[in-house]
Amino acid sequence: MALTAITNARVFDGEKTLGVRTVVIDGARIARVGGDAPPDSEIVDGGGATLLPGLIDAHVHSAPGSLALALRFGVTTELEMQGMNTRENRGLITDDDTVADVRSAGFAITPPGGHPSELMPEGFRPKWDLPPVMPLMPFSTTPEEAAAFVPQLLARGSDFIKFMIDDGSVEGHPGLPSLDEATVNAGVAEAKKYGALTVAHALTVEATRMAAEAGIDGVAHVFMDQPHADEIIGLIKDAGMFVIPCISLNASMMGITGSALADDPRVAARLDSKWDRTLRSSYNRYPQGKLDDVYDTVRALDTAGIDVLAGTDVSMPETFFGGLAHGASLHHELQYLVAAGLTPSRALRAATAATARRFRLSDRGRIAEGLRADLLLVDGDPTENISDTLNTRAIWRRGTRLAE
């Protein structure tokens, strides 16, 4: 296979902008960072552009066609926080360079009738292509049940273990069945025995506190029920947790649609009518929320040195999951992170190196020799103007350039 040399580009390696202008791809891997283009290599002129690692969305729920849509926006990996793409089901995805790669929790530990059941309209049945192996449904109401499900989930191919800590107060369903403290603690303790990564769905301060005290590795949301206080920020920091704020989801929960994003011609050209309609809708379940409070919380997390990761909670092309679309919304999330006070470089890190590190994806998320050639070339300089991430010039997944 011929070498490919991307030349004359500004190179952001996932952590910082490098002082080199050339990156060489050999097959599925990055062969060289810096130096001259090898003789006889295929040249891709990156003049006026920035080369980034392929983006990682740290919080998604897959739908038919969603991995292909994500890749069209330069999202080369999605982390599925509930879904069917466990190791036993994703063999074809792993080798398909026309779709984003994926890692999955399988299904989360939650009580019968607990979150996310309240989000589904009565009688709704998603149109899924059933996988070869149906994932385990780990409904738990006791510490013993939660602990027993952990090794089963891992054996069935879950890449990490997720816990739903949600009483429904933010979704307009107060009193929703929710995991109690003892059950979360038992499940997390069992996961630690296996060295498994743990994440928690937590939309309130109290749920976040429970996750931190249980020793959860990270929360897959930032709370939106109240402004932050120094105490909760300190608790998260002392616990060594990461936070995936999903500001784009919080905005949608507050009734803010993605219409402005859908109007961007760089986005509109890549969405079909159903995803366009979904993006222009919103969850609208917590209109009393304040986006400025979320911004303040995210800024406080970043200032405290807590790892902030970029994720969206994008799901299916249905208006009741509105305000979000695969791929497109990760770019929106980067814009939201900058609006909250992160520098563009820190926002980019949240969608590349930081997420790869925290989710133990040692083969991606950075531009470095020997890593996967998951790359995104964009016109402009997103380290100065974060919106430039949408100026797609070229996308590579494992060194294979996505057809335009």
Side-chain angles (χ1 to χ4, degrees):
M1 184 179 293
L3 300 178
T4 299
I6 305 163
T7 63
N8 301 320
R10 181 182 300 101
V11 179
F12 178 84
D13 73 347
E15 296 281 355
K16 62 187 181 302
T17 300
L18 303 180
V20 303
R21 309 291 290 185
T22 299
V23 171
V24 180
I25 301 170
D26 184 0
R29 299 283 166 178
I30 298 169
R32 186 192 303 170
V33 179
D36 297 325
D40 302 324
S41 57
E42 177 189 354
I43 302 296
V44 176
D45 185 3
T50 301
L51 187 66
L52 307 168
L55 303 179
I56 305 171
D57 190 331
H59 189 153
V60 310
H61 305 278
S62 300
S66 62
L67 292 171
L69 179 59
L71 188 60
R72 289 201 294 274
F73 283 93
V75 177
T76 53
T77 303
E78 291 195 319
L79 303 182
E80 187 178 70
M81 290 294 153
Q82 174 142 305
M84 301 182 185
N85 290 312
T86 50
R87 281 193 305 277
E88 59 192 355
N89 284 327
R90 64 169 182 258
L92 295 178
I93 293 169
T94 300
D95 296 327
D96 185 352
D97 293 323
T98 67
V99 301
D101 198 15
V102 64
R103 295 293 181 272
S104 180
F107 279 73
I109 295 175
T110 194
H115 182 80
S117 62
E118 83 285 359
L119 299 179
M120 311 293 179
E122 188 173 350
F124 174 74
R125 294 291 182 272
K127 296 181 178 66
W128 294 110
D129 295 325
L130 294 180
V133 182
M134 285 300 295
L136 186 66
M137 307 292 285
F139 292 123
S140 302
T141 55
T142 67
E144 294 76 16
E145 288 175 336
F149 272 124
V150 168
Q152 296 179 63
L153 287 163
L154 295 172
R156 293 282 296 274
S158 292
D159 297 289
F160 36 90
I161 304 296
K162 185 178 180 185
F163 299 84
M164 299 290 195
I165 311 175
D166 194 333
D167 63 3
S169 57
V170 169
E171 294 94 338
H173 283 77
L176 191 73
S178 183
L179 298 176
D180 62 22
E181 184 174 347
T183 302
V184 174
N185 289 348
V188 174
E190 187 70 13
K192 287 181 181 296
K193 293 179 185 177
Y194 291 85
L197 187 76
T198 53
V199 295
H201 165 103
L203 286 170
T204 65
V205 168
E206 207 46 54
T208 304
R209 183 189 311 279
M210 188 187 298
E213 292 176 348
I216 290 272
D217 291 299
V219 284
H221 289 280
V222 71
F223 53 84
M224 68 172 83
D225 62 322
Q226 56 185 281
H228 74 275
D230 291 343
E231 187 265 344
I232 189 65
I233 300 297
L235 186 61
I236 293 169
K237 182 175 177 61
D238 291 345
M241 296 169 71
F242 60 81
V243 178
I244 309 168
C246 296
I247 304 174
S248 45
L249 180 278
N250 284 15
S252 178
M253 293 284 283
M254 296 171 189
I256 300 168
T257 73
S259 293
L261 183 67
D263 287 338
D264 188 324
R266 299 172 298 176
V267 172
R270 292 180 250 189
L271 297 182
D272 63 20
S273 59
K274 199 161 188 181
W275 278 113
D276 178 80
R277 188 162 55 250
T278 300
L279 188 55
R280 294 180 186 280
S281 306
S282 72
Y283 276 69
N284 197 28
R285 288 175 173 268
Y286 197 67
Q288 67 270 37
K290 296 180 179 178
L291 193 58
D292 283 344
D293 287 346
V294 172
Y295 283 161
D296 289 345
T297 299
V298 172
R299 185 164 55 252
L301 292 167
D302 181 58
T303 300
I306 293 162
D307 281 328
V308 173
L309 311 184
T312 61
D313 202 7
V314 61
S315 184
M316 293 178 276
E318 302 285 349
T319 55
F320 50 85
F321 292 130
L324 304 164
H326 282 267
S329 290
L330 186 62
H331 296 269
H332 204 192
E333 186 71 17
L334 295 177
Q335 295 170 22
Y336 272 128
L337 289 172
V338 171
L342 274 67
T343 66
S345 290
R346 289 184 77 84
L348 291 169
R349 196 176 309 157
T352 54
T355 294
R357 174 170 50 82
R358 293 307 301 249
F359 276 87
R360 307 172 184 174
L361 301 173
S362 59
D363 64 344
R364 68 196 71 191
R366 293 177 295 119
I367 297 177
E369 293 176 6
L371 299 193
R372 283 171 59 113
D374 290 351
L375 300 166
L376 171 61
L377 185 67
V378 298
D379 291 325
D381 182 4
T383 68
E384 295 293 333
N385 179 8
I386 197 63
S387 176
D388 284 350
T389 61
L390 279 166
N391 296 334
T392 305
R393 188 184 292 189
I395 298 161
W396 291 265
R397 198 254 203 194
R398 292 195 314 170
T400 297
R401 185 168 178 172
L402 186 66
E404 296 179 1

